[in-house]
Amino acid sequence: MLAVIKKEFKSYFLSPIGYVVIGIFLFVFSVFFYLTTIQYGSVDLGSLYFYTALYGLIIIAPILTMRMFAEERKSGTEQLILTSPVSMVSVVFGKFFAAMGVIIVTLVISFMYFFIVKYFGNPNIYTVLVHMLGFILVSGAAISIGMFASSITENQIIAGVITIAFLVMTLFLQDVNSIFAYASIMNFYSDFPSGVISLKEVLGLISFTAMFISFTIIVMQRRKLVK
Amino acid sequence: MIQVENVTKKYGNFTAVSNINFEIDEGEIVGFLGPNGAGKSTTMNMITGFIEPSEGKIIVDGYDISKKPKKAKKQIGYMPEGVPLYGDLTVKEFVTYMAELKGCESKSKKEKVQKVIEETGLVDVQNKLTKNLSRGYKQRVSMAGALVGDPKVIILDEPTVGLDPKQVTEIRALIKKLGKNHTVILSSHILSEVSQICNRVIIINKGKIIAIDTPENLEKKVVGDNSIYVTVEDNEEKMKNIKEKLSQIKEVKLVSENEDKTKKYIITAEKDVDLRKNLFETFAKEGITIFEMKKADATLEDAFMKLISDTQKNEDEKNVEHKENLKKDNKKIEKEQEESNKKTEKTKKNKSQKEEEEK
């Protein structure tokens, strides 16, 4: 699995994708830093991470995930992975963690907002870490969806569009008072912005991610039967 | 080393490979031969575990590829058709990644990668991106990826396609060298290549194995008759009587008359008789001048064409039977339909009559 993580993470930065992702993320961060923290003149960074996750991931998740399996399938490199003695589980997890790595790099850079606020006021570092934990979990959920979309098609664009469609839905679904509201991953991100780790939300996001990772593994393992 | 037992692969209604059986021993170089779409790649993909057979099982080095894929795949180095590579990695990075995927220990990894890069002649380009390489080099990189980590079995899908003649001879030499301490399976539709490199040939057509044998035996199978081409100057037309002079001759046939008044004949004898010495002596006695004498050798090419056309004939015959059966069936069905139509018409008439009566 380590080999896959290493190669995939490196690939993000060998192509422009890694830099584009971090650039877009920091842009969205900065916009919301101005719109929330600076406009309200507060030291609270909760809404900064909330809104960046809500709007940023719609663009970021598909960019990070659309080539994952679709490109391998199209170029045939899938044959190299599937015929090597690595289990599908470790390939899928390897790719997932590599994408999470890019997110974590962004989050580390996003500490600068904390230090900017710290210069003027007295923000709590633990609250910010809770925001970040929530951000990582939500990103994980979004990436797992994108990864699943990428595994079911050999066309990157279709994979990207499916991911965007799903994430845009989560924008609206959280306001709809129905059972589908639970399909919105942002519904599991309501306590993190106030600095609270709730078991319900952590488990909700982790199980959501686990579900789509397992779907991906199942799809990839079925490939050798139907191909 | 590799056992393939009753393996079938179906895609929906289409059978790509049907019920094939063969065994490959350690240290053999085996060639898959067949026209395009014969099922060569499908068979190889099944041996490497890339696709799962619909029926039957494949055992590599004692491990069933479907049940213990990790252990079985560890013994295999595979170079797929169309040489897929990661374009954004350099040659060295690519080979290292393949080594890591195969679980090479990090201590010996560097040495192994370097050794393979040297073996495949990639030292000059090892720091270039694979997407910038020419086709021949890409092929070699793909091969290096298959060789790294010293797998016992090496499977090469069309290893010499798209290479220039020099590269082809280099790759062939490399494959021969590999055959000394590896089991090698390769596929090709170039016959001369297979007969040069391989110890054994498996001929596949339309998903079925037509023949498994050594190249020499396959060639022998085709040579039904023992023929010799002679070009002679024969002004007194003595060739007509030559058959009576030499009892071993079965047939003398004129092939062509050349501009320089020489004539080319094909002389056929019984099997296992070498006529050449006797012919030479008799011709000398008769005063026929020999310009050229050549044994007509059958090549693997002939074997291949013959085997494939034979199976084609058989199938055509079957198809004819099948079609006739279909025709019969169709006639039956037509009759039945006619009858049922008549019935429905009758019932309709009855109904309308009844309705009228009711009115």
Side-chain angles (χ1 to χ4, degrees):
Chain A
M1 182 158 78
L2 258 174
V4 181
I5 297 179
K6 217 170 83 186
K7 185 252 157 192
E8 293 293 326
F9 187 73
K10 208 161 77 182
S11 282
Y12 278 125
F13 293 98
L14 287 173
S15 62
I17 291 178
Y19 302 101
V20 168
V21 163
I22 292 175
I24 294 177
F25 243 146
L26 290 180
F27 176 73
V28 179
F29 261 121
S30 301
V31 169
F32 285 112
F33 186 62
Y34 176 74
L35 288 179
T36 60
T37 315
I38 292 181
Q39 290 247 311
Y40 295 124
S42 80
V43 291
D44 177 33
L45 292 171
S47 12
L48 168 65
Y49 284 98
F50 177 79
Y51 283 112
T52 310
L54 185 59
Y55 292 104
L57 281 177
I58 294 177
I59 316 164
I60 298 303
I63 296 180
L64 274 178
T65 56
M66 61 194 223
R67 13 186 282 154
M68 271 184 180
F69 292 100
E71 199 188 54
E72 297 238 14
R73 192 183 286 192
K74 194 156 201 177
S75 67
T77 43
E78 166 185 70
Q79 287 196 13
L80 298 175
I81 300 187
L82 292 184
T83 57
S84 64
V86 196
S87 68
M88 211 56 242
V89 177
S90 44
V91 172
V92 172
F93 271 102
K95 283 179 180 265
F96 176 76
F97 285 133
M100 288 309 288
V102 180
I103 301 270
I104 286 168
V105 170
T106 334
L107 278 181
V108 170
I109 300 174
S110 81
F111 264 114
M112 71 181 177
Y113 301 105
F114 170 74
F115 289 114
I116 293 172
V117 173
K118 198 172 166 56
Y119 185 77
F120 297 104
N122 201 9
N124 189 334
I125 179 74
Y126 296 112
T127 328
V128 174
L129 288 177
V130 171
H131 299 330
M132 288 192 176
L133 175 70
F135 192 91
I136 289 176
L137 291 175
V138 169
S139 312
I143 285 172
S144 67
I145 294 163
M147 194 162 74
F148 173 64
S150 183
S151 73
I152 54 177
T153 171
E154 66 176 50
N155 190 323
Q156 290 188 39
I157 299 189
I158 291 176
V161 169
I162 293 175
T163 319
I164 291 177
F166 194 94
L167 290 174
V168 167
M169 255 171 30
T170 64
L171 275 182
F172 303 109
L173 278 179
Q174 55 176 339
D175 300 326
V176 182
N177 198 4
S178 75
I179 189 154
F180 293 109
Y182 290 102
S184 163
I185 48 173
M186 291 316 284
N187 253 357
F188 295 102
Y189 194 61
S190 51
D191 284 344
F192 287 111
S194 44
V196 176
I197 305 177
S198 84
L199 194 62
K200 174 193 119 191
E201 297 192 340
V202 172
L203 284 182
L205 286 171
I206 289 180
S207 48
F208 191 93
T209 311
M211 180 171 81
F212 275 100
I213 288 180
S214 351
F215 282 168
T216 312
I217 295 172
I218 292 168
V219 167
M220 289 310 287
Q221 269 170 345
R222 271 200 52 82
R223 285 278 294 153
K224 65 177 183 178
L225 295 175
V226 289
K227 217 211 140 262
Chain B
M1 196 72 197
I2 295 173
Q3 285 131 309
V4 175
E5 293 169 15
N6 306 320
V7 168
T8 300
K9 179 71 193 175
K10 282 180 186 162
Y11 296 108
N13 287 326
F14 175 68
T15 310
V17 170
S18 94
N19 199 24
I20 56 169
N21 281 291
F22 60 86
E23 236 175 87
I24 295 170
D25 294 327
E26 206 165 340
E28 265 191 310
I29 305 182
V30 175
F32 277 115
L33 203 60
N36 292 330
K40 290 172 292 185
S41 292
T42 310
T43 313
M44 289 187 146
N45 280 333
M46 285 193 288
I47 297 174
T48 55
F50 179 55
I51 49 179
E52 188 85 4
S54 314
E55 283 163 38
K57 63 177 177 182
I58 295 168
I59 293 164
V60 179
D61 199 26
Y63 303 107
D64 190 324
I65 191 93
S66 317
K67 285 172 190 152
K68 289 193 172 166
K70 260 192 179 179
K71 282 184 175 165
K73 283 175 183 171
K74 218 165 200 176
Q75 319 297 333
I76 300 174
Y78 179 40
M79 177 183 138
E81 195 183 7
V83 286
L85 299 172
Y86 292 102
D88 48 9
L89 298 185
T90 65
V91 173
K92 203 172 175 181
E93 282 169 341
F94 176 79
V95 180
T96 314
Y97 181 48
M98 292 319 287
E100 282 168 353
L101 283 182
K102 283 178 188 167
C104 284
E105 284 171 30
S106 50
K107 282 179 199 167
S108 55
K109 193 175 69 195
K110 262 192 176 175
E111 282 170 35
K112 278 181 180 167
V113 169
Q114 208 52 45
K115 198 185 120 203
V116 168
I117 285 180
E118 277 164 25
E119 261 181 353
T120 44
L122 290 166
V123 181
D124 295 338
V125 294
Q126 58 179 328
N127 293 320
K128 271 193 181 177
L129 289 183
T130 54
K131 66 178 168 196
N132 294 335
L133 295 176
S134 68
R135 168 84 203 205
Y137 273 118
K138 276 186 185 166
Q139 201 110 359
R140 286 199 224 179
V141 176
S142 185
M143 202 154 163
L147 296 183
V148 75
D150 262 324
K152 289 185 190 168
V153 182
I154 292 167
I155 300 180
L156 309 165
D157 203 345
E158 310 211 330
T160 55
V161 169
L163 300 183
D164 68 39
K166 190 178 161 251
Q167 289 169 332
V168 169
T169 44
E170 278 172 13
I171 292 281
R172 281 181 194 163
L174 181 62
I175 295 171
K176 270 197 166 174
K177 206 175 109 194
L178 288 172
K180 281 174 192 159
N181 37 24
H182 297 86
T183 308
V184 182
I185 305 177
L186 60 97
S187 77
S188 177
H189 47 243
I190 306 167
L191 300 143
S192 59
E193 177 173 292
V194 172
S195 59
Q196 269 178 41
I197 309 174
C198 300
N199 313 125
R200 220 143 57 98
V201 184
I202 298 177
I203 299 184
I204 306 183
N205 191 31
K206 294 191 175 167
K208 284 177 189 149
I209 292 184
I210 304 175
I212 307 179
D213 219 326
T214 60
E216 295 82 26
N217 281 347
L218 283 175
E219 281 163 20
K220 269 186 205 159
K221 267 187 195 168
V222 186
V223 196
D225 301 311
N226 188 0
S227 311
I228 291 165
Y229 286 107
V230 285
T231 309
V232 293
E233 192 180 60
D234 174 31
N235 295 329
E236 293 157 41
E237 306 253 320
K238 281 179 181 166
M239 279 301 284
K240 282 178 186 168
N241 310 323
I242 202 84
K243 202 175 163 186
E244 286 133 42
K245 300 258 159 66
L246 253 175
S247 57
Q248 291 155 317
I249 297 180
K250 245 168 72 181
E251 201 185 6
V252 179
K253 247 206 262 174
L254 181 69
V255 180
S256 61
E257 281 186 52
N258 300 331
E259 283 174 9
D260 56 354
K261 286 182 184 170
T262 57
K263 288 171 187 171
K264 192 173 181 185
Y265 290 90
I266 181 163
I267 298 174
T268 317
E270 297 289 338
K271 266 188 190 176
D272 307 322
V273 180
D274 196 350
L275 265 182
R276 283 175 292 185
K277 198 177 169 218
N278 290 342
L279 271 183
F280 182 81
E281 282 164 1
T282 339
F283 281 0
K285 270 183 208 160
E286 298 292 319
I288 303 172
T289 325
I290 302 176
F291 279 67
E292 194 186 357
M293 172 143 56
K294 194 182 147 211
K295 206 166 177 211
D297 266 332
T299 58
L300 199 55
E301 208 118 28
D302 300 323
F304 183 66
M305 296 313 286
K306 194 176 173 232
L307 285 167
I308 284 183
S309 62
D310 281 355
T311 50
Q312 197 84 33
K313 266 183 211 161
N314 287 338
E315 260 172 40
D316 287 347
E317 278 164 19
K318 271 184 200 166
N319 279 341
V320 170
E321 276 175 29
H322 187 63
K323 272 180 191 167
E324 277 170 5
N325 286 338
L326 272 184
K327 273 183 190 168
K328 280 178 194 169
D329 286 348
N330 280 340
K331 276 181 187 170
K332 266 187 196 172
I333 290 167
E334 274 169 19
K335 270 186 188 174
E336 278 168 14
Q337 267 182 344
E338 274 174 22
E339 277 170 18
S340 65
N341 282 343
K342 278 178 190 169
K343 272 182 191 173
T344 48
E345 272 173 24
K346 268 185 191 174
T347 50
K348 269 185 190 172
K349 274 182 188 173
N350 284 341
K351 265 189 186 176
S352 56
Q353 275 180 353
K354 273 180 189 174
E355 276 170 11
E356 276 173 20
E357 279 171 13
E358 277 171 14
K359 275 179 187 174

